[in-house]
Amino acid sequence: MSDPALGALWEEFRVFFTEPSKEPKSIDALFKKIQSKPYGVRAGLVPILFACAIRAFPVVGSLSGRDGYISDIRPTTVEEICRDPSGYVLNVLAVHDDQRNYLEGICELFRGSRAAVIDDPDLIRRAFEWIQFWKQDAPEAVRVAGGLSSEAF
């Protein structure tokens, strides 16, 4: 970025969303940090920057709130988080190259010949979505079959 102050602020978001940690990351702590010196981001800009960062940085992990895992981050979710960030955390997982390749392989396998694109930077969520699409199109017998012997595979 041409503006060093904005670049430093954006780096805070990148680190928050992409670097794994042993403990879940507090969104409240992030907001307090960017609203304090040296950044001094005004409260009205926080939701915009937060929404942009969610979109910009691929997260491999989970966002949780008071009610548990948040499966779909919608604009209303961002608004709720920004209204009261104290109840929300982000758990960023470390994904190694072999794990990333495995998840990308799952996406390709379950995508099949579909021309559709799932535009989700979260690789785990994307793999889950492709599996859900596959299940939706699969014959009912595939969805309800159980008790298969090892010889069936």
Side-chain angles (χ1 to χ4, degrees):
M1 290 195 172
S2 59
D3 183 338
L6 186 56
L9 174 64
W10 201 238
E11 179 65 10
E12 291 290 344
F13 280 106
R14 187 199 64 75
V15 167
F16 184 81
F17 281 100
T18 64
E19 293 191 6
S21 64
K22 292 181 181 178
E23 298 294 321
K25 298 178 180 187
S26 165
I27 293 177
D28 191 41
L30 171 69
F31 287 5
K32 286 177 180 171
K33 184 174 188 176
I34 66 170
Q35 289 180 302
S36 301
K37 288 184 179 183
Y39 306 113
V41 174
R42 293 181 185 230
L45 286 176
V46 172
I48 297 166
L49 292 170
F50 186 69
C52 289
I54 287 172
R55 199 70 185 130
F57 300 112
V59 176
V60 177
S62 61
L63 177 64
S64 299
R66 289 178 187 85
D67 298 327
Y69 173 70
I70 298 171
S71 62
D72 191 13
I73 303 171
R74 299 180 176 275
T76 54
T77 310
V78 173
E79 290 170 357
E80 290 169 15
I81 291 169
C82 292
R83 225 180 341 269
D84 183 16
S86 63
Y88 296 90
V89 294
L90 181 69
N91 189 21
V92 180
L93 305 174
V95 177
H96 304 288
D97 287 342
D98 57 333
Q99 295 166 321
R100 183 173 304 282
N101 291 338
Y102 177 77
L103 289 169
E104 287 172 349
I106 287 176
C107 291
E108 285 302 309
L109 176 68
F110 285 94
R111 184 176 143 234
S113 60
R114 287 181 188 86
V117 173
I118 295 178
D119 188 22
D120 193 328
D122 179 345
L123 192 52
I124 293 173
R125 188 184 319 255
R126 191 174 349 135
F128 174 79
E129 292 295 332
W130 279 123
I131 292 169
Q132 294 305 309
F133 276 125
W134 175 83
K135 279 175 49 179
Q136 213 173 27
D137 294 345
E140 184 176 356
V142 171
R143 294 190 302 270
V144 298
L148 297 175
S149 66
S150 59
E151 290 83 26
F153 294 104

